[in-house]
Amino acid sequence: MKLKVKDILERFAGGEISLEGAVREMNLLSYREVGDMAKLDPCRIDRIGIPEAVLAEGKTPSDLVEIALSFLAASKEVLITRVSPEQLEALREAPLPEGSDLVWEGRARAVVISEDSIKKFSGGKVGVLTAGTADVPVAEEARVTAELMGCDTISEYDVGVAGIHRLFPSLEKMMDRDALVVAAGREGTLPAVVAGLVEAPVVGLPVSTGYGAGGRGEAALLSMLQSCSVMVVVNIDAGFVAGAFAAKIANRAAQWRNIQ
């Protein structure tokens, strides 16, 4: 890695690549090893505008703490998703750097640890809707992710098509949003309805709720993929991906507004 860094710096010094090009190539090389169990990518947000999240599932509490502390040292902020009660207890007992703040987002089952208590806002605006209350945990993961990426978020829950009159007052509050995340289980209709009514890009988020045939989010996913409304669809229960994609759209929109 050191040889590659030297090569990049020599090419920059020789005028072969621009400063921006050198930074881009350096970011591609940067990662942080945690023993033999993880290779963290703290520069991902600088490279592509989306932070790496730590998925807690499958990790022992002690391993998760070690990974979180290493990530925090490299980036000053870490998002940990799908956190179990045992893992949460271990994180709360961990020797965090002085001044660090641990926030438990209960409905999202997510932890955000930050060394900087001052939130940085990008100007991006994201809205989050759910068809039912069973979809809220996954939608909350999307909301937490979008906020971590600097977006202003608003959420409206339980506005599904079984009582579609509930949707319209909620949509009125979303008219200034740059992007919307719409979560739904069962037959997954709501994202297609919303995408047919609003100008903002819609990210369909299928949720693993439902009964019998087509349960576990499969019917919702296929319904969204077959939508005649124009939208993008993420995988089942992929709240982080949905929130990050919507935030990336919103942040680009905010950059464009700042140019005007």
Side-chain angles (χ1 to χ4, degrees), residues 8-9 12 15-26:
I8 293 170
L9 293 175
F12 170 67
E16 296 178 39
I17 56 175
S18 66
L19 175 61
E20 291 76 17
V23 170
R24 186 162 52 249
E25 291 193 28
M26 294 279 281

Side-chain angles (χ1 to χ4, degrees), residues 61-118:
S62 60
D63 283 351
L64 182 61
V65 167
E66 187 175 355
I67 290 170
L69 291 176
S70 182
F71 204 110
L72 189 62
S75 65
K76 310 303 180 187
E77 191 167 47
V78 58
L79 169 64
I80 309 168
T81 62
R82 314 293 170 93
V83 178
S84 71
E86 295 77 16
Q87 291 169 328
L88 175 61
E89 182 179 358
L91 289 168
R92 282 175 166 164
E93 294 176 353
L96 299 178
E98 186 176 352
S100 297
D101 186 30
L102 185 152
V103 177
W104 165 240
E105 298 281 358
R107 291 194 296 180
R109 289 176 51 208
V111 167
V112 178
I113 307 175
S114 176
E115 289 191 28
D116 188 352
S117 60
I118 301 174

